[in-house]
């Protein structure tokens, strides 16, 4: 499970640079893109990386305040441009303002540095297949993704809602003339910073549509059925159960959701993979 070791080394880097971590540097240590690094963290830890860093900063800030440092100095140390913003962040974690943290006997919260271990239980089987694909072109609409995955859980459903309401989805279905067949949800672009609702197509990207070429990659493909919660659960199982013992790890490429029926209830989750380094 070399990739878990690399993930923990990335966490060590973040712990040593809590004031201003470089996500590109952290992802490089984990040997994946910033997008996949933050995605794996969220699936494994059950919280966004940004939230974990905020809790760790406020844990350290409480210790700094109790050691006698000034509130303004601590606020600046952890990247807050004003005492008001720092006060809000501190109170959201500890339930009291920074000024109270200096008092003897006050109750505070400590969020300890996180370490990953994987326990593979294998209670439920997982169907999958490995396929190598040439690059394929998609046409559709997109929205920018945030570094905070919690924000993406809001903006991606909103994009789907707009596409369903304004007729984009049937319009895209009429343009589909390539493979993979189905309506696609693709996290692509530089650092996988855009989410596309699209189809594989050779049609021109005009009249409000965009195009993107999904690069040639090897994919681990997992079938599933259900709603958006079922997709998220399957994605979590891929990272926590399949990936650790598969002999593969994340490649630098987009994630793809392939919706196989008009109701989007049957789907496939495609993750880009490479053979794990020995």
């Amino acid at each position: 499970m070399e990739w878990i070791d690399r993930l923990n080394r990335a966490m060590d880097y973040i712990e040593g640079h809590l004031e201003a971590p470089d996500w590109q540097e952290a992802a490089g240590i984990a040997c994946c893109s910033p997008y996949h690094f933050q995605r794996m963290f969220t699936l494994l830890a059950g919280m966004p990386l940004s939230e974990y860093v905020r809790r760790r900063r406020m844990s350290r800030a409480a210790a700094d305040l109790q050691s006698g440092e000034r509130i303004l100095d601590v606020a600046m140390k952890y990247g807050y441009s004003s005492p008001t913003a720092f006060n809000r962040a501190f109170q959201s974690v500890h339930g009291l303002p920074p000024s109270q943290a200096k008092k003897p006997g006050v109750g505070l919260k400590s969020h300890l540095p996180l370490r990953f271990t994987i326990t593979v239980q294998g209670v439920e089987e997982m169907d999958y297949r490995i396929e190598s694909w040439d690059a394929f072109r998609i046409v559709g609409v997109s929205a920018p993704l945030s570094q905070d995955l919690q924000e993406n859980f809001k903006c991606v459903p909103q994009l789907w809602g707009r596409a369903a309401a304004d007729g984009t989805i049937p319009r895209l279905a009429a343009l589909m003339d390539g493979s993979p067949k189905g309506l696609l949800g693709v996290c692509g672009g530089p650092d996988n910073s855009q989410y596309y609702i699209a189809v594989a197509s050779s049609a021109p990207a005009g009249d409000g549509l965009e195009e993107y070429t999904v690069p040639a990659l090897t994919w681990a493909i997992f079938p599933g059925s259900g709603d958006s919660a079922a997709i998220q659960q399957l994605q979590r199982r891929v990272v926590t159960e399949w990936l650790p013992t598969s002999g593969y790890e994340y490649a630098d490429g987009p994630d793809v959701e392939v919706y196989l029926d008009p109701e989007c209830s049957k789907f496939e989750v495609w993750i880009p993979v490479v053979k794990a380094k020995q």
Side-chain angles (χ1 to χ4, degrees):
M1 300 185 187
E2 175 65 23
W3 70 276
I4 288 291
D5 294 334
R6 293 198 300 272
L7 193 57
N8 281 326
R9 289 198 293 272
M11 298 309 299
D12 291 340
Y13 163 81
I14 290 173
E15 185 64 24
H17 299 79
L18 274 178
E19 295 84 353
D22 182 330
W23 303 126
Q24 192 76 41
E25 178 74 16
I29 295 170
C31 295
C32 60
S33 70
Y35 168 80
H36 283 128
F37 176 65
Q38 295 190 57
R39 186 175 182 78
M40 280 196 296
F41 180 92
T42 300
L43 291 170
L44 289 167
M47 75 175 81
L49 182 57
S50 59
E51 173 63 16
Y52 167 75
V53 169
R54 185 177 68 89
R55 293 183 186 185
R56 283 296 302 138
R57 282 174 173 167
M58 293 304 99
S59 294
R60 293 255 291 262
D64 293 341
L65 291 171
Q66 290 199 316
S67 69
E69 294 188 38
R70 297 192 310 154
I71 292 175
L72 181 60
D73 292 339
V74 175
M76 296 295 289
K77 178 179 180 180
Y78 292 104
Y80 291 89
S81 58
S82 72
T84 301
F86 175 67
N87 180 83
R88 189 181 305 116
F90 191 92
Q91 191 150 339
S92 70
V93 171
H94 296 286
L96 48 82
S99 57
Q100 296 293 314
K102 291 176 171 286
K103 295 182 177 181
V106 69
L108 296 166
K109 299 184 186 299
S110 178
H111 294 273
L112 300 178
L114 187 151
R115 303 290 295 176
F116 289 109
T117 60
I118 292 292
T119 302
V120 181
Q121 297 179 344
V123 174
E124 188 177 342
E125 66 182 15
M126 294 187 71
D127 295 325
Y128 76 97
R129 64 187 189 273
I130 303 293
E131 295 185 2
S132 294
W133 279 62
D134 293 334
F136 58 91
R137 178 179 177 271
I138 63 172
V139 171
V141 294
S142 78
L145 293 174
S146 168
Q147 289 193 351
D148 186 344
L149 290 185
Q150 285 296 103
E151 289 299 315
N152 298 334
F153 291 150
K154 300 175 185 176
C155 79
V156 169
Q158 289 171 355
L159 180 64
W160 279 98
R162 290 194 300 271
D166 65 14
T168 295
I169 288 178
R171 181 182 168 204
L172 290 175
L175 297 177
M176 182 174 58
D177 61 8
S179 293
K181 300 294 185 182
L183 192 61
L184 310 177
V186 180
C187 296
D191 288 330
N192 299 318
S193 59
Q194 293 286 123
Y195 183 88
Y196 296 85
I197 299 174
V199 292
S201 177
S202 60
D207 194 17
L209 298 182
E210 309 164 55
E211 66 177 83
Y212 170 65
T213 298
V214 178
L217 288 162
T218 296
W219 303 92
I221 301 173
F222 301 83
S225 62
D227 57 11
S228 59
I231 296 174
Q232 293 178 20
Q233 176 62 21
L234 178 57
Q235 290 168 337
R236 187 176 188 280
R237 289 193 64 207
V238 169
V239 171
T240 59
E241 297 179 30
W242 182 82
L243 201 58
T245 58
S246 67
Y248 289 91
E249 58 191 40
Y250 261 115
D252 188 3
D255 289 345
V256 179
E257 303 151 5
V258 181
Y259 296 97
L260 302 171
D261 62 4
E263 291 77 26
C264 295
S265 60
K266 292 184 179 180
F267 57 81
E268 292 177 340
V269 170
W270 293 31
I271 67 166
V273 294
V274 294
K275 282 289 189 179
K277 298 178 178 65
Q278 299 299 320

